[in-house]
Amino acid sequence: DGGITQSPKYLFRKEGQNVTLSCEQNLNHDAMYWYRQDPGQGLRLIYYSQIVNDFQKGDIAEGYSVSREKKESFPLTVTSAQKNPTAFYLCASSALPGQGTEAFFGQGTRLTVV
Amino acid sequence: GQNIDQPTEMTATEGAIVQINCTYQTSGFNGLFWYQQHAGEAPTFLSYNVLDGLEEKGRFSSFLSRSKGYSYLLLKELQMKDSASYLCAVRDRGYSTLTFGKGTMLLVSP
């Protein structure tokens, strides 16, 4: 089955540690995105990538880093510089405009920093 | 940039019809999306509008007026399982990214 997979579903880390969230898709989508969701805040864009080996900052990129070495994979690292990392993280992918429409989301990773 | 507004909460009764509004101000426009999100789960795609008018898909319909920067999602024959957050999102023409509103929490009661 085609889809987008995030792992793990729940993640706990100690303050000051870096942590990497996995996102893999087998939909052959060119574009991939990372969003953060906090209660009452909606989804906010962290980073996005439209092609392998290229990515752009979203609205709240500070304290995060990404890589796009393969079309299928777009991991997100939450660094110790992120002041408030506890949140629900959502990865999404889509075909580029003109080739498709909606973005498909993974199941999310709930990160708790203690 | 984009600014998207939608009501925070709405309540409705099982079997009724509810309309969730979304207004947006945008520097570029390449489509408006509606997603449904149950608590703790991923958003799932409901509808897409890029031209003015009404798109119907089963119990759900979505309307767009580009000149007014306005959309609504219409849910008919409400069921308890429709209790969820409904997210309005606009795609920017230049970047292909989606900007989301804060979502409307819909509570359906018996």
Side-chain angles (χ1 to χ4, degrees):
Chain A
D1 288 325
I4 181 165
T5 302
Q6 290 185 242
S7 61
K9 189 170 183 179
Y10 299 96
L11 190 55
F12 295 86
R13 279 294 181 271
K14 291 184 178 179
E15 193 171 344
Q17 289 182 335
N18 290 357
V19 61
T20 297
L21 282 59
S22 170
C23 179
E24 304 276 334
Q25 55 98 1
N26 59 4
L27 299 166
N28 199 33
H29 285 163
D30 289 294
M32 296 187 74
Y33 315 84
W34 275 104
Y35 288 90
R36 169 182 172 141
Q37 188 173 35
D38 296 281
Q41 291 289 329
L43 276 67
R44 292 183 290 169
L45 183 65
I46 305 173
Y47 269 98
Y48 64 101
S49 167
Q50 295 180 299
I51 194 170
V52 174
N53 293 322
D54 189 46
F55 46 84
Q56 285 77 40
K57 293 182 179 180
D59 300 319
I60 55 166
E62 185 176 352
Y64 299 97
S65 66
V66 293
S67 63
R68 187 86 186 276
E69 296 178 1
K70 300 186 300 182
K71 187 176 184 178
E72 300 80 16
S73 179
F74 191 41
L76 173 74
T77 297
V78 184
T79 75
S80 57
Q82 168 50 233
K83 298 188 187 312
N84 186 20
T86 294
F88 188 46
Y89 291 88
L90 286 159
C91 179
S93 70
S94 70
L96 292 177
Q99 301 171 12
T101 54
E102 75 269 26
F104 294 84
F105 284 84
Q107 289 302 303
T109 294
R110 188 167 297 279
L111 173 65
T112 302
V113 175
V114 296
Chain B
Q2 317 273 17
N3 185 37
I4 301 170
D5 291 310
Q6 49 182 132
T8 303
E9 293 181 352
M10 297 184 71
T11 59
T13 306
E14 196 173 13
I17 299 172
V18 70
Q19 177 175 312
I20 302 174
N21 296 325
C22 172
T23 59
Y24 63 91
Q25 296 89 38
T26 176
S27 57
F29 180 82
N30 195 18
L32 187 141
F33 297 78
W34 284 96
Y35 283 83
Q36 180 192 62
Q37 186 181 26
H38 286 98
E41 298 182 6
T44 55
F45 171 75
L46 291 177
S47 69
Y48 168 68
N49 296 71
V50 67
L51 300 176
D52 291 350
L54 187 69
E55 293 284 340
E56 298 186 79
K57 188 184 294 185
R59 293 190 299 117
F60 293 13
S61 303
S62 58
F63 172 82
L64 175 67
S65 170
R66 289 172 295 170
S67 63
K68 296 182 179 179
Y70 168 70
S71 173
Y72 67 73
L73 179 69
L74 192 70
L75 292 75
K76 303 175 184 176
E77 302 171 13
L78 280 173
Q79 302 175 10
M80 298 296 288
K81 67 178 182 180
D82 296 330
S83 292
S85 182
Y86 290 85
L87 311 177
C88 174
V90 173
R91 184 158 64 193
D92 186 306
R93 181 182 298 279
Y95 301 102
S96 81
T97 59
L98 288 179
T99 300
F100 284 82
K102 294 185 177 181
T104 299
M105 180 64 68
L106 174 65
L107 177 62
V108 179
S109 58

